[in-house]
Amino acid sequence: MNKSFFKFTILNQITEFVNKYCSLSILSPYDVNLILRENEYCHIFPKGSRLKGFDTNQLASNNPIEDSRTEASLIHTNGFVCGVFDGHGGPACSQVVSKRLLRYLAASLVPYDTLCKELSEGATSQSFLKCHNDKVDFVKEIRDLYEESFLRYVHLSLANKKYDIKERIENSVISLDEDLSREALEYPNVRTMSVAMSGAVACVALVTDVNVYIANIGDCAAVIGSCSESGQWITKVLTHEHNSDNIAEVKRILSEHPVKEKDTVIRNDRLLGQLAPLRALGDFRYKWSKNILKQVVVPKFGEIAVPLHYNTPPYLTAKPEVICHKILENDKFLVIASDGLWDFLSPTQVVNLVGEHILGKAFLEPFSFMENHTIKKAFVTLTQRKDGKKHKPLDQNSATHLIRNALGGTEYGIEHSKLSYYLSLPKDISRQYRDDITITVLFFNNDIKNSKTLS
């Protein structure tokens, strides 16, 4: 669906709702801030790191929230990896994938000799990365199964010594998806089946010394914010949405099935008339054979679990689209977010808002003249600081700043009543007007020559 049309429709619906339920209480600014900042997190890296730091936040609409996010520094290689995961059909798949995928990816990037050494010393799935703001883990019952799958994946990976980062990223995603399928079929229980029958789209970012690699599956998105020599913000969209608006994606799917299915593979802008994203992890009711669905799925979930016109599976893939972007001197930050944000803000608006937030925060910090600053660059910096005075941020966290503007922004600034109404909607109604929103903003350090390990 066209984003601007969707946004316009939502605003009309919310207005009708407010008029109908005029008794809905208005939240105070204090209450609004408590809600918006409940899940925010900020991390600052040591000086000399490739990244200055990152901000992240999420705001639920579904109950429970179906979005997940994870951020981690790589231990044995110099890098950082993070991901935003947008679940559907329940939170199970996104919650599991958000933890496991980064572990698979981190292990796949470890040099061969180091990996062999770690395995000989009893390495686990958490031996290759250091997670930030991750306070929970899987229960033992399922953790042991996941550890078995992880070690199996790592040993199989040892056979491929070719070091191509794009291939490693792609293989880690596909291997995890295959493990989710195998676990559900070999150990069918409430936990494994809930993961298999729900699904998740994802946008994962891997930052190395010189590059950003984006693995995109579905309809999350990633954008780079760059600053020109004149101080203007430039938007670089790195991802393509895998949905029916993507003509190339539609052609890909149609080419994989008989011509006689051209009217049933995608109906009403959805896969088999049901699923909006055309790539996803999990969702094995669109991947397993018809015999498996009848033997495993139908006894537990009924005939309704088998989609209509299910003739030549698989219809869905978890294969990511991997993009490599070389970090340029003018690249200042990367934003990855679930579609709950992009339903309200365009990539250009997001970049301008984060850029505005950076300038506003810079005004509050003491100015220091860097060795590599030219007179022209210093003049631009000082001008930006002066402009930042006008945009003194209400939120220290840039992800929170984006959520506040997404829900309450107008051409005249933040409208408190609009923001309050969105946050006041009852749980059983909220999903009709907006989706879960999850955002991570990474800030590049452009003033370094040699980076240190991100820790």
Side-chain angles (χ1 to χ4, degrees):
M1 182 181 291
N2 180 274
K3 297 289 186 184
S4 59
F5 176 77
F6 182 80
K7 182 178 177 181
F8 176 77
T9 303
I10 280 185
L11 292 176
N12 281 343
Q13 289 176 333
I14 194 70
T15 300
E16 291 175 6
F17 177 86
V18 169
N19 290 336
K20 184 175 180 180
Y21 299 95
C22 56
S23 60
L24 197 65
S25 61
I26 302 292
L27 296 173
S28 69
Y30 176 80
D31 291 330
V32 165
N33 289 339
L34 284 180
I35 295 172
L36 291 181
R37 296 170 182 171
E38 181 180 3
N39 298 309
E40 68 178 6
Y41 177 79
C42 173
H43 186 86
I44 305 298
F45 291 111
K47 288 185 178 180
S49 298
R50 192 32 166 137
L51 293 174
K52 292 181 178 178
F54 68 86
D55 292 343
T56 186
N57 198 356
Q58 61 182 176
L59 180 69
S61 178
N62 291 291
N63 187 24
I65 187 172
E66 294 182 338
D67 279 8
S68 294
R69 38 133 295 274
T70 308
E71 308 84 32
S73 297
L74 304 182
I75 293 176
H76 298 283
T77 56
N78 185 20
F80 174 85
V81 62
C82 66
V84 166
F85 305 85
D86 185 351
H88 48 263
C93 188
S94 68
Q95 289 177 352
V96 167
V97 167
S98 69
K99 288 182 175 295
R100 296 181 69 185
L101 180 54
L102 269 61
R103 299 175 186 182
Y104 277 50
L105 178 55
S108 75
L109 298 172
V110 175
Y112 177 81
D113 292 340
T114 305
L115 185 59
C116 290
K117 179 177 181 294
E118 288 293 319
L119 290 174
S120 69
E121 295 176 356
T124 69
S125 64
Q126 299 187 67
S127 298
F128 305 98
L129 77 177
K130 174 185 175 182
C131 288
H132 306 286
N133 192 36
D134 189 6
K135 302 179 178 65
V136 296
D137 200 359
F138 302 115
V139 296
K140 187 179 188 308
E141 171 195 353
I142 204 73
R143 184 171 65 243
D144 291 344
L145 173 60
Y146 290 165
E147 283 298 316
E148 289 177 15
S149 294
F150 173 80
L151 292 175
R152 178 176 177 272
Y153 158 74
V154 173
H155 282 290
L156 288 174
S157 298
L158 284 174
N160 179 17
K161 297 182 183 180
K162 184 179 179 182
Y163 197 85
D164 183 293
I165 293 184
K166 281 190 173 183
E167 289 180 0
R168 303 262 174 151
I169 294 172
E170 181 179 304
N171 184 57
S172 65
V173 176
I174 294 174
S175 295
L176 174 58
D177 198 55
E178 291 173 348
D179 282 346
L180 298 179
S181 172
R182 180 180 53 79
E183 291 158 0
L185 296 177
E186 293 182 3
Y187 308 96
N189 56 49
V190 173
R191 295 182 187 277
T192 57
M193 288 303 294
S194 64
V195 173
M197 293 302 289
S198 59
V201 298
C203 189
V204 176
L206 167 66
V207 182
T208 65
D209 282 342
V210 294
N211 295 319
V212 172
Y213 294 87
I214 300 293
N216 191 48
I217 311 114
D219 52 10
C220 295
V223 300
I224 291 277
S226 300
C227 190
S228 69
E229 292 295 327
S230 61
Q232 299 299 308
W233 290 105
I234 301 169
T235 305
K236 302 176 185 177
V237 180
L238 300 183
T239 52
H240 303 98
E241 294 183 355
H242 300 131
N243 56 29
S244 60
D245 291 333
N246 185 335
I247 302 303
E249 188 70 3
V250 171
K251 288 181 178 179
R252 176 190 67 79
I253 294 177
L254 292 178
S255 71
E256 296 172 353
H257 301 277
V259 175
K260 63 182 180 181
E261 290 190 65
K262 66 181 179 67
D263 294 326
T264 58
V265 172
I266 296 179
R267 294 184 299 120
N268 301 321
D269 296 326
R270 292 172 175 263
L271 185 68
L272 296 176
Q274 296 182 351
L275 190 66
L278 302 183
R279 299 192 196 192
L281 291 113
D283 283 319
F284 291 104
R285 59 192 292 245
Y286 305 104
K287 298 175 182 176
W288 283 334
S289 69
K290 205 163 188 177
N291 284 338
I292 290 178
L293 291 185
K294 287 182 178 179
Q295 294 171 13
V296 178
V297 176
V298 171
K300 290 182 172 62
F301 300 93
E303 291 287 347
I304 194 173
V306 182
L308 292 175
H309 310 292
Y310 197 78
N311 301 313
T312 56
Y315 289 90
L316 187 66
T317 180
K319 182 179 180 180
E321 185 174 6
V322 182
I323 303 99
C324 177
H325 172 82
K326 183 177 181 180
I327 304 172
L328 304 176
E329 182 181 357
N330 291 335
D331 293 340
K332 302 303 180 184
F333 57 86
L334 166 72
V335 180
I336 59 173
S338 60
D339 67 344
L341 175 69
W342 309 111
D343 287 338
F344 287 93
L345 296 174
S346 69
T348 298
Q349 287 174 313
V350 165
V351 166
N352 286 335
L353 283 167
V354 175
E356 169 191 289
H357 187 264
I358 290 174
L359 297 181
K361 285 185 69 175
F363 172 74
L364 302 177
E365 300 171 357
F367 174 71
S368 59
F369 192 87
M370 306 298 294
E371 290 183 7
N372 63 342
H373 274 181
T374 62
I375 297 298
K376 180 180 179 181
K377 194 170 184 179
F379 175 77
V380 170
T381 302
L382 289 170
T383 302
Q384 290 175 335
R385 283 175 60 85
K386 181 180 179 181
D387 291 339
K389 185 177 181 180
K390 308 171 189 174
H391 305 289
K392 183 179 177 181
L394 183 60
D395 301 295
Q396 287 294 311
N397 188 298
S398 59
T400 308
H401 180 69
L402 286 174
I403 296 175
R404 186 184 297 275
N405 278 271
L407 300 185
T410 70
E411 58 183 313
Y412 305 107
I414 301 295
E415 184 180 313
H416 175 75
S417 59
K418 179 183 172 186
L419 184 58
S420 174
Y421 283 132
Y422 271 116
L423 298 178
S424 301
L425 292 171
K427 295 293 184 182
D428 57 338
I429 291 183
S430 176
R431 185 61 185 87
Q432 299 177 32
Y433 299 95
R434 66 173 183 85
D435 201 352
D436 299 327
I437 300 175
T438 300
I439 306 166
T440 299
V441 184
L442 309 181
F443 300 98
F444 300 123
N445 187 356
N446 303 108
D447 299 320
I448 61 170
K449 295 181 180 179
N450 298 305
S451 60
K452 300 177 182 178
T453 301
L454 296 164
S455 59

